[in-house]
Amino acid sequence: MADFYKNILERWQNISTHRFFWPVFFAAGLAFSIVASAFDILDLYLQLILIYVGINIILTVSLNLVNGYMGEFSIGHAGFMAIGAYTASLLTVNVFPAGALNYLFPLAIIAGGVAASVIGLIVAIPSFKTRGDYLAIVTLAFGMIVKSGLENIEVIGGPRGFLGMSKLTTLPWVFFWTVLSVWIIRNLVYSKFGRGVLSIREDEIASDLMSVNTRQVKIIAFVVSSFFAGVAGGLFAHALQFINPRMFDIIKSTDILIMVYLGGIASIAGSIIGAVIYTILLEILRPLGIWRMVLMPLMLVLLMIYRPRGIMGMREARFFVPLRDLLAAKLWKQKNKEAPDASA
Amino acid sequence: MPLLEMKNITHRFEGLCAVANFNFQLTQGELVGIIGPNGAGKTTVFNLITGVYRATEGSIFFNGDELVGKTPHQITKMGVARTFQNIRLFKELTVLDNVRTAYFGEATYSPLEALLHMGRYRREETKITERALELLSVFQLDNAASELAKNLPYGLQRKLEIARALATNPQLLLLDEPAAGMNPNEIKQLMDFIGWIRKTFRLTIILIEHQMRLVMGICERLVVLDFGATIAQGLPAEIKSNPKVLEAYLGEEAAK
Amino acid sequence: MTYILQQILNALQLGSIYALIALGYTMVYGILTMINFAHGDLFMVGAFFCFLIAVYLQLPFLPTLMLTMFGVACLGVLIERMAYKPLRAAPRVSAIITALGVGLFLENFTLALSPYPKNIPPLLADKTWMIGSVTISSLQIIIIALSVSLMLILDFIVQRTKAGMAMRAISWDKTIVPLMGVPVNKIISLTFAIGTGLGGAAGMMYGLAYPVIDPYMGIMVGWKAFISAVVGGIGNVRGAMIGGFILGTVEILVAAFFPSTYRDFVAFTLLLILLIFRPYGILGRPSPQKV
């Protein structure tokens, strides 16, 4: 029996590390989500939950880049999300012609991401000098400024919020953006910039002395992270069709933090697991009413005590690791065996 | 032209003078030791060369280029690499990634190419990975390539730190107390090892050390620091008999 | 002129509440280098304790204050023992996340038990005096006087007593001090007790000054107090007091000259600017990087 499972596991590993795994997975998932939403295979409630799962994965993976991989502590992720949400919504409601919205929607989402990443660039600057707690405060203050700034702009509804968006966020779009964000952040992590990000977490001074341009790396991490937070915000706004500044306050940021640290820091698989578990658990526990909100933080505390790095902390599922990295050491050994005098 | 020239370098921390009017010249291929009692300012000299601190006064030239005011990674890219007194590896990264991180300055692919895993990214990453493994195999660390650095035994961590420094392709290598925590036998091995990397990688080396045996054994020239000031310079044999040095440094040890 | 004097008085009142809460943040940070994000919610719990005592036991002011402080202090120590202590060796971030979790728990637990905002009955006969044309209420005087005296007592404890010396020693060095026979666990619990007790007192005073209390009241006030601690230089007891008064003053001034909705915006923007130019706060010192 144990052999049976081992066999399956090995097969899965072989399949999941195959070079066509990702393209096939992407095509199949996209096809499924298009079919599912077009022919009502999944009921609307289930679709909505899947949409939230996707959005939360984007938020979690992107925050994990800064908090898990880089080891900084950003508590203002909801602020970037808000900027993306408002930018995209303003574009689809006030700027883009109503007839072409379906085609221009991706553009609105990208614009939301770009707007958020421009702000991310500004938040990256204090990170040159300060780290840890003080950077946490900077991001916190930033989140608060965004929220109370939005509340004071009457044109976009002030504290009452902004509405009028069409329901443009569909399952296929969410799937597309989720896979894209996971893929791009995975790519970043397994590159020289990703190693720079990790080495900053481990020892910033040593990293700088090992030729890592720490400022450049920090800017890239913050910009990419906030870009995808903005994307998630845009998708969120067009799924809910209504936004107000309070949706993006510190509680939202805490939610994202919980997903990151539940799933596990510095792990893409962990981010996905964290986002999925948290989103679904919140839905399942809905009948508990307010007590669900009592239970969730309690679980978080227990998790931190017994598994402080989260479920996947610092580990990665094999199929997120590029083949080159997965096989590097193995191939090297083989090469040396074939030509034993090469290393001598 | 000297490889490294430090002219009238002074460095103060909030009024405390850590290095005072320090002058130093180094020619290509030399192996020079900096010795001195604890707190004499030896590591500060390394920090000034590598740009961790910015000298309060004076200038440092490397191959004729001014180093003061440059950032550490710029200086590393110009060909200065170092190790640390208390090992500073990237503990939670693998041995291979520790070394690959140090190729940051050499890889030329852009952030966009990295995000999409395209173009130069593929070519250069393959090259970097191969070269890192090659370097590790020279140090006989290739079998531990996928271990986390923190799980290596102490001696190998020291070795890995040197390997990581060499990955930046330096002309000048600064070793900060490489023999700390080693027994006489290991020190003997380390001496051979330093001599060997010096020849293999054609390095110029500055060495900070407390272990007299090591310093006297391999250094061609010594600089003695005390309270941030140079009190003697010269051949190991001369230093050994210099009364000032005996008083400030060796005298202390003899008294123990 | 009168208007400004009046506003200064308001600023002192708000500032002293911020300062009391900020002390809790700063003391815990000083001793554990951990930001206790649940502290704002302990402040809220303080207000609710006060409400319960005032409504059901109907005690006068001083016993209510004592009981509130004692209750919150016990809760603080309990949280420290159960949630934070197991994490002392863990990465610092997990402790911060745990604190955020504890805070959420306190908020939602209170909300589950008491879904509607509550009014704290007035515990003191409210008198007002006119000096010139400035109105001073007895409540204002009591809040300011009480806060200042609690702060002075704390300053005395930290600077002059043996326990205070142990606190300062632990915040200075965490490896050597335990070897010197300092009972680290006891001192840490004591720090939590004092810090959260002061937070509880602040909760009560806030509840008396702005009588409507609700389970989420601790979030904003808690963050503001945290900012005060940072502005003063986190880990520094006197800095926390100064920071509290500065933030109180800034907020009242902004509310006096702009629409009051700009208050948070300006407060946080000022914080950001300060952090860029003096990231270690007013009384804090930059910790030199060691290589």
Side-chain angles (χ1 to χ4, degrees):
Chain A
M1 208 53 190
D3 273 358
F4 176 71
Y5 284 117
K6 213 176 141 197
N7 209 347
I8 287 187
L9 198 73
E10 260 170 27
R11 272 221 192 138
W12 165 245
Q13 281 186 347
N14 284 337
I15 293 170
S16 63
T17 50
H18 194 276
R19 54 194 288 243
F20 289 127
F21 176 76
W22 275 96
V24 170
F25 171 78
F26 183 63
L30 204 58
F32 173 76
S33 59
I34 288 171
V35 172
S37 58
F39 298 103
D40 290 333
I41 293 175
L42 300 172
D43 68 53
L44 281 177
Y45 174 66
L46 212 58
Q47 282 194 33
L48 192 67
I49 291 179
L50 284 178
I51 284 174
Y52 282 140
V53 167
I55 292 172
N56 281 340
I57 290 176
I58 300 176
L59 288 168
T60 311
V61 174
S62 57
L63 183 63
N64 213 335
L65 181 61
V66 170
N67 281 30
Y69 289 99
M70 195 149 75
E72 297 289 5
F73 192 64
S74 164
I75 348 182
H77 216 49
F80 297 116
M81 195 185 165
I83 292 169
Y86 272 88
T87 309
S89 304
L90 279 169
L91 283 176
T92 57
V93 174
N94 293 338
V95 180
F96 291 162
L101 272 187
N102 273 323
Y103 307 101
L104 291 174
F105 182 52
L107 224 61
I109 296 292
I110 291 172
V114 169
S117 61
V118 169
I119 305 295
L121 192 68
I122 297 169
V123 176
I125 293 168
S127 82
F128 295 163
K129 271 196 198 161
T130 54
R131 303 194 43 123
D133 305 324
Y134 278 92
L135 192 65
I137 303 157
V138 170
T139 59
L140 167 75
F142 154 76
M144 300 272 190
I145 289 171
V146 169
K147 185 194 157 230
S148 78
L150 289 172
E151 277 176 347
N152 282 302
I153 305 175
E154 267 309 310
V155 197
I156 53 170
R160 291 183 315 282
F162 188 76
L163 43 85
M165 292 79 92
S166 335
K167 191 163 168 38
L168 295 168
T169 302
T170 55
L171 204 52
W173 272 126
V174 171
F175 181 80
F176 169 80
W177 282 107
T178 306
V179 174
L180 187 75
S181 65
V182 167
W183 184 66
I184 284 191
I185 288 175
R186 195 277 319 232
N187 285 354
L188 177 64
V189 168
Y190 291 98
S191 74
K192 70 167 185 169
F193 302 104
R195 289 192 293 270
V197 165
L198 287 164
S199 65
I200 288 175
R201 177 189 73 199
E202 295 294 312
D203 188 333
E204 188 171 342
I205 293 174
S207 161
D208 206 344
L209 286 166
M210 291 307 138
S211 81
V212 175
N213 186 344
T214 48
R215 290 191 174 193
Q216 185 195 19
V217 167
K218 282 178 180 177
I219 287 179
I220 292 172
F222 271 101
V223 164
V224 170
S225 170
S226 48
F227 176 84
F228 283 109
V231 165
L235 293 170
F236 178 77
H238 291 86
L240 211 65
Q241 296 173 271
F242 163 69
I243 45 175
N244 71 33
R246 255 168 312 148
M247 288 174 181
F248 307 103
D249 64 2
I250 179 73
I251 297 178
K252 182 77 198 172
S253 291
T254 315
D255 265 355
I256 310 170
L257 282 172
I258 290 179
M259 290 188 278
V260 169
Y261 292 91
L262 172 76
I265 53 166
S267 167
I268 296 205
S271 307
I272 295 172
I273 292 172
V276 171
I277 291 183
Y278 189 74
T279 318
I280 291 179
L281 213 56
L282 274 187
E283 282 308 317
I284 293 175
L285 296 179
R286 198 173 277 280
L288 290 181
I290 178 68
W291 288 100
R292 137 188 106 138
M293 303 312 286
V294 178
L295 212 60
M296 294 306 288
L298 209 58
M299 280 166 45
L300 180 74
V301 171
L302 290 177
L303 188 86
M304 280 298 133
I305 293 174
Y306 295 107
R307 209 173 169 117
R309 279 172 168 182
I311 297 170
M312 287 294 287
M314 305 274 224
R315 290 177 306 156
E316 194 56 273
R318 282 166 63 97
F319 57 93
F320 287 116
V321 184
L323 276 180
R324 176 185 299 102
D325 292 72
L326 213 53
L327 301 177
K330 219 188 252 173
L331 285 179
W332 176 257
K333 260 179 225 160
Q334 255 173 20
K335 203 169 153 188
N336 276 0
K337 255 183 219 153
E338 283 160 20
D341 48 357
S343 68
Chain B
M1 184 175 63
L3 181 70
L4 180 81
E5 186 174 19
M6 300 177 78
K7 270 189 188 161
N8 304 322
I9 287 289
T10 298
H11 189 65
R12 294 188 199 90
F13 295 108
E14 293 180 18
L16 181 86
C17 204
V19 172
N21 205 14
F22 183 69
N23 284 289
F24 181 67
Q25 280 203 353
L26 189 69
T27 31
Q28 181 96 43
E30 264 190 304
L31 202 171
V32 177
I34 299 183
I35 61 172
N38 279 326
K42 304 182 298 282
T43 300
T44 308
V45 170
F46 275 14
N47 285 334
L48 290 168
I49 299 174
T50 51
V52 177
Y53 299 150
R54 194 198 166 115
T56 321
E57 285 163 33
S59 10
I60 306 172
F61 296 101
F62 181 71
N63 278 330
D65 298 320
E66 172 72 273
L67 293 187
V68 176
K70 291 218 160 59
T71 61
H73 66 264
Q74 285 169 333
I75 293 172
T76 307
K77 238 179 133 175
M78 291 164 75
V80 183
R82 71 176 282 182
T83 65
F84 303 91
Q85 199 173 337
N86 37 357
I87 305 174
R88 293 181 78 152
L89 289 169
F90 308 127
K91 293 196 185 74
E92 300 275 352
L93 303 192
T94 62
V95 169
L96 177 63
D97 276 345
N98 263 280
V99 175
R100 286 202 296 181
T101 303
Y103 286 108
F104 188 97
E106 214 184 293
T108 56
Y109 60 82
S110 68
L112 197 68
E113 284 168 308
L115 290 180
L116 302 176
H117 273 200
M118 278 180 191
R120 275 180 294 175
Y121 165 87
R122 283 167 184 274
R123 264 172 283 140
E124 290 188 11
E125 274 299 303
T126 312
K127 208 176 72 195
I128 285 172
T129 308
E130 260 172 33
R131 284 183 48 195
L133 283 164
E134 216 164 297
L135 191 64
L136 283 174
S137 77
V138 168
F139 284 73
Q140 290 162 346
L141 280 166
D142 51 333
N143 285 326
S146 44
E147 295 271 342
L148 293 187
K150 66 173 180 186
N151 294 339
L152 289 186
Y154 182 79
L156 291 188
Q157 289 195 10
R158 284 250 173 241
K159 255 189 170 175
L160 175 58
E161 215 189 18
I162 296 175
R164 185 181 67 172
L166 290 178
T168 63
N169 200 14
Q171 285 175 274
L172 173 62
L173 180 65
L174 311 176
L175 297 173
D176 198 344
E177 297 199 24
M182 289 188 175
N183 65 32
N185 200 14
E186 288 168 327
I187 290 176
K188 176 89 189 24
Q189 284 175 11
L190 182 71
M191 283 165 68
D192 296 341
F193 180 69
I194 291 174
W196 178 77
I197 55 168
R198 180 187 177 197
K199 241 190 354 217
T200 317
F201 295 90
R202 279 189 231 103
L203 294 169
T204 309
I205 296 177
I206 308 179
L207 188 84
I208 292 179
E209 198 40 78
H210 275 303
Q211 302 286 344
M212 276 305 137
R213 181 201 297 267
L214 180 80
V215 178
M216 295 293 169
I218 59 173
C219 292
E220 288 150 1
R221 188 154 66 89
L222 288 180
V223 177
V224 190
L225 281 183
D226 196 15
F227 294 111
T230 318
I231 57 169
Q233 279 201 55
L235 300 171
E238 293 169 11
I239 297 293
K240 242 181 199 168
S241 53
N242 186 318
K244 260 191 189 161
V245 179
L246 287 174
E247 190 190 310
Y249 187 73
L250 299 175
E252 234 177 32
E253 210 156 70
K256 272 182 195 166
Chain C
M1 187 61 206
T2 338
Y3 183 64
I4 292 176
L5 275 178
Q6 187 74 55
Q7 295 302 342
I8 288 176
L9 205 62
N10 292 342
L12 277 177
Q13 178 186 336
L14 187 62
S16 54
I17 291 176
Y18 283 154
L20 272 186
I21 311 172
L23 284 172
Y25 278 112
T26 241
M27 288 176 72
V28 170
Y29 186 88
I31 204 158
L32 288 179
T33 49
M34 166 201 160
I35 304 175
N36 179 15
F37 278 133
H39 191 65
D41 300 298
L42 283 161
F43 153 85
M44 174 273 296
V45 172
F48 272 83
F49 274 181
C50 166
F51 167 78
L52 290 176
I53 296 164
V55 171
Y56 295 105
L57 300 180
Q58 294 183 335
L59 294 175
F61 178 78
L62 216 54
T64 311
L65 178 71
M66 297 296 211
L67 265 180
T68 304
M69 285 179 75
F70 180 73
V72 177
C74 287
L75 186 61
V77 173
L78 190 74
I79 290 172
E80 190 269 322
R81 283 283 152 125
M82 286 176 60
Y84 301 159
K85 200 178 163 208
L87 288 172
R88 258 182 230 161
R92 271 175 61 193
V93 196
S94 5
I96 297 179
I97 300 289
T98 308
L100 279 172
V102 171
L104 275 177
F105 172 77
L106 291 176
E107 283 158 24
N108 294 328
F109 192 70
T110 315
L111 186 69
L113 294 180
S114 140
Y116 305 105
K118 297 274 188 278
N119 271 305
I120 294 187
L123 289 168
L124 295 163
D126 200 13
K127 276 188 212 140
T128 46
W129 295 281
M130 299 286 285
I131 296 177
S133 44
V134 180
T135 328
I136 303 176
S137 73
S138 55
L139 192 63
Q140 264 178 330
I141 293 182
I142 287 178
I143 288 179
I144 297 168
L146 199 64
S147 311
V148 171
S149 41
L150 282 174
M151 286 180 235
L152 289 178
I153 295 173
L154 176 74
D155 201 54
F156 178 79
I157 293 177
V158 172
Q159 302 294 340
R160 294 290 157 82
T161 63
K162 210 172 150 187
M165 197 159 79
M167 284 177 195
R168 281 180 291 140
I170 293 173
S171 69
W172 186 256
D173 185 309
K174 278 169 202 62
T175 38
I176 306 293
V177 169
L179 301 177
M180 300 298 177
V182 176
V184 175
N185 285 334
K186 268 190 201 156
I187 296 294
I188 289 176
S189 293
L190 181 70
T191 310
F192 266 89
I194 296 177
T196 51
L198 291 177
M204 170 163 169
M205 285 179 232
Y206 192 89
L208 290 175
Y210 316 92
V212 183
I213 60 171
D214 72 90
Y216 290 125
M217 67 187 266
I219 302 177
M220 215 13 139
V221 178
W223 287 119
K224 296 262 179 74
F226 175 57
I227 289 176
S228 313
V230 173
V231 167
I234 196 156
N236 187 309
V237 170
R238 289 179 187 173
M241 301 179 203
I242 295 175
F245 285 116
I246 291 178
L247 195 69
T249 312
V250 167
E251 289 210 337
I252 297 287
L253 282 180
V254 171
F257 296 110
F258 296 97
S260 65
T261 46
Y262 280 63
R263 206 178 53 188
D264 295 352
F265 186 78
V266 175
F268 285 107
T269 311
L270 274 181
L271 169 79
L272 266 192
I273 294 168
L274 180 100
L275 281 178
I276 288 167
F277 291 106
R278 212 179 152 82
Y280 31 84
I282 293 171
L283 290 189
R285 289 183 144 266
S287 54
Q289 51 182 5
K290 247 184 113 68
V291 181

